[in-house]
């Protein structure tokens, strides 16, 4: 392999995944959630807390400090600590940080997690919560525009208008994922959802209705990352981190990005695929960050699964449902499984590649894509390609 | 939202912009080396990297890129529905500026591409001080799409 020393390709693996219950009120601290998910992920890997020498999480001022978690785990001399300030755009990137730490030799075994009580404690964008005074928020907040549904509603209208999409096009995303969630034991939303239900659901921020919006969830997920070599000797089939990329996005400052109806991940996608040495046609299952329904359509286009303007037809044709050509958000996603801010998508991708998804298993899934928020408003994005170890 | 205190959260980079707004001036930074406009305020030009810039005045017009109508209030005191618009300035096509909407609260009559001009709304900030926020309005001969 050329430049092997300079690529992440297949050098690290996810060897354990763990999660707490997803609920509306965990009744415990984010520290407890994190530690429980980490313990579960280590059990899954057949490793103990003494094997861990690195920690990485992302948070937005709403969760436990990773150094505190390292102390809690009894890691006396932690070799890698990564505390990422960021939300959905940073989720997959946090995993990439863990992989880079392992690939570089900085650490041998890094746990990576997201823990939040986003329903029972700090609800995101709450006007009564900590003021987000920094950066662009100061230009939105005076107009009563500060919650994630409001922020994404602005992007959504421009997108729907550009491609002449209808409300039903968003509704089909929600309905498809609800059907998937009905096959997941962890899912919070398992009642059938009809188009009538969708269209009748109340406006949150027009053009986003209730069922366009993700859940607010208390819960945590954790992943254990180590070297591909060591992964071979562990309990579960290893899932290789085959490709990874960070990419740019836009904020109010857009650096010549004047089309607010295309997700900026479109610029990163070729770099991501090149890092894994594949193209989109080799992806068997995609877990797209989906805080809101339109993000799924945008990413089908940005990651090259269809041409711009064709994502709605792809969903309507059933391509993204289980049994379709590219099953998407097979766990129900943030819309219906739970909102663990990106990393539960990576857990689902790992479980798909392990063949461990039971009734929602994508037959023969060998390569998966897991993404973070595709770069709108946050100014950055990240994604990984995961592959079943040979 | 007119009777409420409005949070105005200026920082050291944006303070001059907010003060200009109180004088009913819409300010943009202009790079004195390459002439590129930028907003929100930054110390450096995102084209040429120059640290030299000055405040200049925007033409104060633009087109509607998108808008939202909020039905679920982010705080219990907020009166809903209300509309917020995002405008692409005529000055430069990658400068976007959000603001309130001087039109029907439910956004009736808005359209993507609608030409608008800047308006100003006097408010009281969280310290009880007078402040000004942006409120876009249809440009003369409103209803035109360009």
């Amino acid at each position: 392999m050329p430049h092997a020393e300079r690529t992440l390709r297949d050098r690290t693996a996810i060897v354990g995944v763990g999660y707490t219950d997803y609920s509306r009120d965990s009744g415990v601290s984010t520290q407890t959630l994190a530690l429980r998910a980490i313990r579960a992920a280590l059990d899954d890997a057949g490793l103990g807390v003494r094997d861990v020498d690195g920690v990485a999480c992302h948070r937005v001022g709403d969760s436990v400090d990773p150094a505190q978690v390292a102390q809690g785990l009894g890691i006396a001399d932690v070799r890698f600590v990564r505390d990422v300030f960021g939300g959905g755009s940073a989720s997959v990137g946090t995993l990439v940080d863990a992989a880079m730490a392992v690939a570089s030799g900085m650490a041998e075994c890094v746990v990576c997690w997201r823990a939040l009580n986003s329903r029972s404690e700090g609800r995101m964008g709450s006007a009564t919560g900590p003021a987000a005074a920094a950066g662009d928020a100061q230009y939105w907040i005076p107009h009563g525009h500060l919650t994630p549904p409001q922020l994404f509603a602005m992007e959504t209208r421009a997108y729907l208008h550009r491609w002449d999409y209808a409300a039903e096009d968003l509704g089909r995303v929600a309905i498809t994922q609800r059907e998937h969630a009905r096959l997941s034991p962890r899912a919070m939303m398992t009642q059938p959802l009809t188009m009538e239900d969708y269209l009748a659901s109340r406006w949150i921020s027009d053009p986003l209705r209730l069922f366009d919006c993700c859940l607010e969830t208390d819960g945590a997920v954790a992943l254990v990352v180590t070297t591909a070599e060591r992964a071979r000797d562990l309990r579960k089939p290893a899932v290789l981190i085959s490709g990874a990329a960070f990419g740019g996005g836009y904020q109010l400052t857009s650096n010549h990005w004047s089309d607010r109806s295309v997700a900026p991940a479109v610029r990163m996608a070729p770099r991501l695929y090149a890092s894994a040495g594949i193209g989109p046609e080799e992806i068997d299952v995609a877990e797209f960050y989906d805080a809101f329904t339109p993000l799924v359509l945008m990413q089908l286009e940005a990651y090259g699964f269809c041409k711009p303007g064709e994502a709605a037809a792809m969903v309507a044709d059933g391509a993204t449902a289980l049994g379709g050509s590219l099953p998407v958000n097979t766990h129900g996603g943030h819309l219906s499984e739970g909102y663990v801010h990106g990393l539960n998508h990576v857990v689902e991708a790992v479980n798909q590649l392990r063949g461990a998804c039971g009734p929602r298993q994508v037959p023969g899934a060998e390569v998966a894509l897991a993404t973070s928020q595709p770069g709108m408003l946050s100014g950055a994005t990240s994604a990984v390609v995961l592959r079943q170890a040979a | 939202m007119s009777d409420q205190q409005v949070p105005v959260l200026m920082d050291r980079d944006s303070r001059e912009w907010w003060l200009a707004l109180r004088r009913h001036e819409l300010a943009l930074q202009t790079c004195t080396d390459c002439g590129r406009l930028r907003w929100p305020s930054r110390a450096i030009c995102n084209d040429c990297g120059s640290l030299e810039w000055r405040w200049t005045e925007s033409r104060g017009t633009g087109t509607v890129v998108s808008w939202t109508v909020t039905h679920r209030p982010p705080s219990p005191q907020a009166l809903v529905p209300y509309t917020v618009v995002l405008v692409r300035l005529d000055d430069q096509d990658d400068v976007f500026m959000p603001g309130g909407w001087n039109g029907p609260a439910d956004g009736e009559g808005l359209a993507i591409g609608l030409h608008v001009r800047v308006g100003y709304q006097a408010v009281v900030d969280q310290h009880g001080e007078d402040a000004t926020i942006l409120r876009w309005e249809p440009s003369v001969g409103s209803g035109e799409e360009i």
Side-chain angles (χ1 to χ4, degrees), chain A residues 138 144 154 157 206 255-256, chain B residues 14 46-47 66-67 69 82 94:
Chain A
Q138 67 182 295
M154 192 68 83
R157 188 185 305 277
D206 178 358
N255 291 332
H256 298 272
Chain B
S14 67
N46 59 359
D47 255 17
S66 189
W67 74 95
V69 183
Y82 60 87
D94 67 345

Side-chain angles (χ1 to χ4, degrees), chain B residues 123-145:
Chain B
V123 296
V124 174
D125 72 13
Q126 68 275 27
H127 308 297
E129 304 288 329
D130 289 339
T132 301
I133 62 174
L134 272 180
R135 194 167 164 92
W136 295 100
E137 59 191 32
S139 58
V140 177
S142 62
E144 64 182 313
E145 286 201 41

Side-chain angles (χ1 to χ4, degrees), chain A residues 58-60 84-92 114 289 339 341 372-373:
Chain A
H58 75 101
R59 54 181 181 146
V60 286
V84 178
F85 185 96
S89 302
S91 57
V92 174
R114 175 71 169 121
Y289 182 84
Y339 186 68
H341 222 168
S372 61
Q373 197 267 88

Side-chain angles (χ1 to χ4, degrees), chain B residues 11-88:
Chain B
D11 59 35
R12 289 178 178 185
D13 291 320
S14 67
R15 177 181 160 81
E16 290 301 321
W17 184 83
W18 285 104
L19 294 179
L21 214 57
R22 285 194 61 181
R23 301 190 299 269
H24 290 197
E25 294 168 13
L26 189 62
L28 300 173
Q29 282 173 296
T30 298
C31 175
T32 51
D33 281 326
C34 75
R36 186 164 169 78
L37 303 175
R38 63 184 190 267
W39 185 86
S41 45
R42 300 282 185 269
I44 196 162
C45 176
N46 59 359
D47 255 17
C48 76
S50 172
L51 291 167
E52 302 302 318
W53 58 271
R54 58 190 165 83
W55 286 110
T56 51
E57 194 163 356
S58 165
R59 290 152 65 182
T61 57
T63 53
V64 172
V65 168
S66 189
W67 74 95
T68 62
V69 183
T70 292
H71 294 266
R72 182 177 164 80
S75 63
Q77 314 90 289
L79 299 175
V80 290
Y82 60 87
T83 294
V84 177
V85 300
L86 183 65
V87 170
R88 183 197 308 271

Side-chain angles (χ1 to χ4, degrees), chain A residues 35-87:
Chain A
L35 291 168
R36 285 177 179 170
I38 291 165
R39 177 72 254 183
L42 290 168
D43 288 347
D44 183 56
L47 293 169
V49 292
R50 288 291 168 268
D51 293 305
V52 178
D53 61 2
V55 292
C57 75
H58 75 101
R59 54 181 181 146
V60 286
D62 59 356
S63 189
V64 62
D65 161 21
Q68 193 179 120
V69 170
Q71 292 293 326
L73 290 169
I75 308 171
D77 187 18
V78 67
R79 292 169 59 185
F80 179 71
V81 181
R82 193 78 167 97
D83 184 9
V84 178
F85 185 96

Side-chain angles (χ1 to χ4, degrees), chain A:
Chain A
M1 189 180 355
H3 306 299
E5 73 284 2
R6 291 194 60 218
T7 177
L8 266 184
R9 189 187 300 172
D10 298 340
R11 293 175 62 198
T12 61
I14 299 169
V15 295
V17 295
Y19 31 84
T20 66
D21 288 340
Y22 304 157
S23 72
R24 288 178 163 75
D25 186 359
S26 69
V28 299
S29 69
T30 56
Q31 176 174 221
T32 293
L33 289 172
L35 291 168
R36 285 177 179 170
I38 291 165
R39 177 72 254 183
L42 290 168
D43 288 347
D44 183 56
L47 293 169
V49 292
R50 288 291 168 268
D51 293 305
V52 178
D53 61 2
V55 292
C57 75
H58 75 101
R59 54 181 181 146
V60 286
D62 59 356
S63 189
V64 62
D65 161 21
Q68 193 179 120
V69 170
Q71 292 293 326
L73 290 169
I75 308 171
D77 187 18
V78 67
R79 292 169 59 185
F80 179 71
V81 181
R82 193 78 167 97
D83 184 9
V84 178
F85 185 96
S89 302
S91 57
V92 174
T94 305
L95 168 68
V96 179
D97 288 351
M100 290 194 291
V102 169
S104 72
M106 187 77 69
E108 173 78 12
C109 180
V110 177
V111 289
C112 172
W113 72 89
R114 175 71 169 121
L116 70 174
N117 280 324
S118 77
R119 178 72 195 186
S120 66
E121 292 190 312
R123 297 183 71 176
M124 280 176 214
S126 165
T128 54
D136 287 359
Q138 67 182 295
Y139 303 108
W140 296 105
I141 286 174
H143 308 294
H145 192 92
L146 64 163
T147 68
Q150 293 174 313
L151 294 166
F152 281 91
M154 192 68 83
E155 307 307 310
T156 300
R157 188 185 305 277
Y159 175 72
L160 297 179
H161 176 83
R162 172 68 180 80
W163 305 113
D164 199 23
Y165 288 161
E168 287 81 356
D169 294 320
L170 300 181
R172 277 186 279 272
V173 171
I175 291 165
T176 301
Q177 293 191 197
R178 180 63 60 83
E179 287 303 305
H180 295 170
R182 286 161 56 74
L183 302 173
S184 167
R186 291 194 299 285
M188 295 175 73
M189 300 292 278
T190 55
Q191 295 297 310
L193 180 68
T194 67
M195 187 61 80
E196 290 68 33
D197 296 334
Y198 168 81
L199 291 171
S201 70
R202 68 177 188 271
W203 289 119
I204 299 298
S205 186
D206 178 358
L208 294 177
R209 293 171 166 83
L210 176 67
F211 290 126
D212 290 308
C213 301
C214 65
L215 304 164
E216 293 171 294
T217 303
D218 285 13
V221 302
L223 304 146
V224 183
V225 178
T226 191
T227 62
E229 293 74 24
R230 190 172 183 196
R232 283 196 282 269
D233 301 327
L234 294 175
R235 177 182 291 167
K236 292 285 178 67
V239 169
L240 299 171
I241 298 170
S242 200
F246 289 86
Y250 60 72
Q251 303 178 337
L252 284 170
T253 297
S254 63
N255 291 332
H256 298 272
W257 190 265
S258 62
D259 184 354
R260 294 183 80 95
S261 59
V262 176
V266 71
R267 294 183 298 200
M268 178 187 76
R271 190 161 68 245
L272 173 71
Y273 290 130
S275 75
I278 64 164
E281 64 283 353
E282 289 179 62
I283 302 289
D284 298 312
V285 56
E287 312 296 357
F288 287 136
Y289 182 84
D290 61 329
F292 303 98
T293 52
L295 295 179
V296 172
L297 300 177
M298 292 173 183
Q299 289 176 95
L300 285 168
E301 295 164 354
Y303 284 96
F305 296 106
C306 63
K307 291 178 182 156
E310 294 181 354
M314 194 174 165
V315 172
D317 290 344
T320 61
L322 286 166
S325 58
L326 181 76
V328 168
N329 292 350
T330 48
H331 51 334
H334 291 330
L335 300 173
S336 281
E337 187 196 58
Y339 186 68
V340 199
H341 222 168
L343 285 184
N344 52 320
H345 289 50
V346 181
V347 169
E348 177 69 6
V350 168
N351 282 329
Q352 285 288 347
L353 298 179
R354 287 175 169 181
C357 284
R360 66 179 196 285
Q361 179 64 42
V362 175
E366 293 180 359
V367 183
L369 171 64
T371 71
S372 61
Q373 197 267 88
M376 289 97 73
L377 307 165
S378 64
T381 185
S382 51
V384 288
V385 172
L386 304 179
R387 175 190 296 279
Q388 217 176 45

